[in-house]
């Protein structure tokens, strides 16, 4: 979802295996070697190694060596559960960038995803501060792990764990002699929990890295108030996007939508572009984007004959599909979560409704959609702003993410938000290393404001991290034969954004 302020707020009851088309990548993952030992994973998983090789994370949770939650230190449930939100999903994701895969802008290392140590600036004058000791730099990650949608953004936390392991292994000297330690927090799909987490981070970590929360407004003022650098996978609420110390590795602005989606439809399906439809879930960012995106695409030249919100509790999609047929819709886009995507696809198949274009945002790019929808997923198209995992053999940084994710948490499934969390971690260490002895919270925030066209070594399309602008680039993938494959080429289409007031 490029989050055009809408990340995937999608229930995921179970996770299936990721199909990797590239045989070279499959061999790479198989050849990654043995798993890291529990103590090494523990350093990435949280603050301190406890009994039995576990890590005591935030809120008293005990995180096992494989990254799973096993309970709390005192035997309690680990705190209250967030109550904000429901099992709905928010969708939309904003990409940006220029050509296919390759170059990077400010802050990107030149070696394109290799295991070479990241260069560090002069360490003269380095001073310890909050979260920094003589030996370590502690960073925090607050993502939705529990709550109404268990595991919602756990992949973002998994990705940062994996990056910390990767960095500490390949950069033995660390940043001016300091290795990274990760303290994990559970924002529990709740704004209040997010605020409590950031209050703790203000006092105990140097920076927040790779966080991803559906209700991320809670900690926005807290982070800005204490000057905490908060380099997120993406910011999804207006409050977070307005936070002066908060940045998204995936840069997004709520009222901007990329023209590339409309341009793709107008060029390849001109008749369908004049009979478009939008279905969206009446919750969170999906509801907001469900109204913004048709307006933006209408300004671009499309015409919508049907726009309809669907309540989260609604399970009978037959009336909505029937209305699509009644209106003669030939292009149908859906914003929500994977369970809703599956329901729409299966209902369309049952009613023998086949639009010329069946479109999703990057939220649908997940094995659960294909497995859940089965043959009904055939022909579905998604717009994405990153290198698909099936093409990881062409992207060293993507391959690194997949490889280290499996070493750190075998069986973990990579996803859209995990990819950008890895990107956030990469950007953090590159900027912190470059600052060297000048590293401080304030200097890091200043450095991040200057980062533009960030691609994480070609892992995704260029993102305007510092300028805080939604980019303008997408590429497209389609389900064919039960797999996601490129459609319309593998290069990004970049044609500006439309602002909706």
């Amino acid at each position: 979802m490029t989050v055009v302020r809408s990340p995937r707020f999608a229930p995921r009851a179970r996770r299936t295996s990721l199909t990797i088309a590239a045989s070279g990548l499959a061999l790479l993952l198989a050849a990654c070697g043995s798993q890291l030992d529990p103590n090494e994973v523990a350093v990435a998983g949280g603050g301190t190694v406890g009994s039995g090789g576990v890590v005591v994370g935030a809120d008293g949770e005990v995180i096992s060596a494989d990254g799973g939650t096993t309970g709390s230190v005192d035997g309690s449930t680990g705190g209250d559960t967030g109550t904000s939100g429901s099992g709905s999903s928010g969708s939309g994701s904003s990409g940006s960038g220029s050509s296919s895969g390759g170059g990077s802008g400010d802050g990107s290392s030149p070696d394109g995803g290799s295991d070479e140590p990241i260069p560090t600036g002069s360490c003269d004058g380095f001073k310890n501060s909050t979260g920094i000791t003589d030996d370590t730099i502690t960073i925090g990650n607050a993502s939705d792990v529990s709550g109404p949608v268990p595991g919602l953004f756990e992949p973002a936390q998994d990705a940062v764990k994996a990056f910390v392991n990767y960095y500490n292994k390949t950069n033995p000297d660390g940043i001016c002699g300091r290795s990274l330690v990760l303290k994990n927090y559970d924002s529990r799909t709740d704004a209040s929990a997010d605020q409590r987490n950031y209050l703790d981070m203000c006092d105990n970590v140097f920076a927040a890295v790779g966080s991803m929360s559906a209700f991320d407004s809670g900690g926005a003022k807290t982070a800005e108030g204490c000057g905490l650098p908060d380099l997120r996978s993406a910011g999804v609420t207006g409050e977070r996007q307005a936070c002066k110390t908060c940045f998204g590795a995936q840069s997004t602005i709520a009222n901007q939508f990329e023209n590339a989606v409309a341009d793709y439809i107008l060029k390849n399906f001109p008749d369908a572009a004049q009979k478009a439809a939008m279905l969206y879930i009446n919750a969170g960012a999906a509801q907001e984007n469900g109204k913004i995106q048709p307006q933006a695409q209408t300004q671009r030249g499309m015409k919508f004959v049907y726009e309809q919100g669907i309540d989260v509790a609604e399970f009978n999609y037959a009336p909505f599909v029937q209305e699509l047929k009644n209106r003669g819709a030939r292009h149908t886009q859906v914003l929500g979560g994977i369970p809703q995507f599956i329901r729409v696809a299966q209902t369309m198949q049952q009613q023998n409704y086949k639009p010329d274009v069946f479109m999703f945002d990057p939220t649908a790019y997940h094995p659960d959609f294909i497995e859940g929808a089965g043959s009904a997923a055939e022909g579905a198209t998604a717009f994405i702003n990153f290198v698909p995992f099936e093409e990881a053999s062409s992207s060293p940084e993507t391959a690194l993410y997949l490889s280290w994710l499996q070493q750190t948490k075998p069986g973990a499934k990579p996803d859209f938000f995990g990819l950008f969390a890895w990107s956030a971690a990469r950007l953090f260490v590159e900027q912190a290393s470059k600052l060297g002895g000048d590293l401080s919270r304030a200097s890091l925030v200043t450095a991040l404001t200057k980062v533009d066209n960030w691609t994480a070594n070609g892992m995704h399309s260029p993102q305007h991290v510092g300028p805080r602008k939604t980019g303008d680039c997408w590429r497209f993938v389609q389900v064919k034969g039960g797999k996601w494959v490129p459609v319309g080429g593998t290069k990004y289409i970049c044609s500006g954004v439309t602002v909706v007031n």
Side-chain angles (χ1 to χ4, degrees), residues 313-403:
E314 179 62 67
F315 287 92
N316 180 14
Y317 282 23
F320 306 111
V321 174
Q322 183 60 52
E323 194 61 27
L324 289 169
K325 296 172 71 174
N326 294 343
R327 301 287 184 97
R330 298 179 62 177
H331 164 277
T332 296
Q333 184 175 337
V334 186
L335 292 178
I338 291 175
Q340 291 84 31
F341 297 162
I342 292 171
R343 200 168 297 134
V344 171
Q346 292 178 337
T347 305
M348 287 169 53
Q349 185 181 59
Q350 291 164 5
Q351 296 198 22
N352 197 30
Y353 166 62
K354 296 181 180 180
D356 297 345
V357 187
F358 187 24
M359 182 73 75
F360 297 96
D361 66 17
T363 307
Y365 178 75
H366 194 281
D368 285 0
F369 172 61
I370 293 179
E371 172 146 324
S375 61
E378 282 295 305
T381 302
F383 48 93
I384 62 175
N385 58 345
F386 53 90
V387 176
F389 302 137
E390 292 85 354
E391 299 175 21
S393 60
S394 68
S395 169
E397 191 74 18
T398 303
L400 270 183
Y401 163 50
L402 297 178
S403 171

Side-chain angles (χ1 to χ4, degrees), residues 184-200:
N184 291 309
Y185 298 78
D186 183 1
S187 45
R188 300 190 176 109
T189 323
D190 178 68
S192 295
D194 186 60
Q195 182 185 27
R196 290 194 298 271
N197 290 339
Y198 274 81
L199 284 170
D200 186 270

Side-chain angles (χ1 to χ4, degrees), residues 7 42 45 96 102 104 119 143 191 202 241 253 301 313 335 340 362 373 389 421 425 450 494:
S96 42
S104 56
S143 297
C202 280
Q241 292 173 359
I253 297 297
L335 292 178
Q340 291 84 31
F389 302 137
K450 301 175 183 179
C494 311

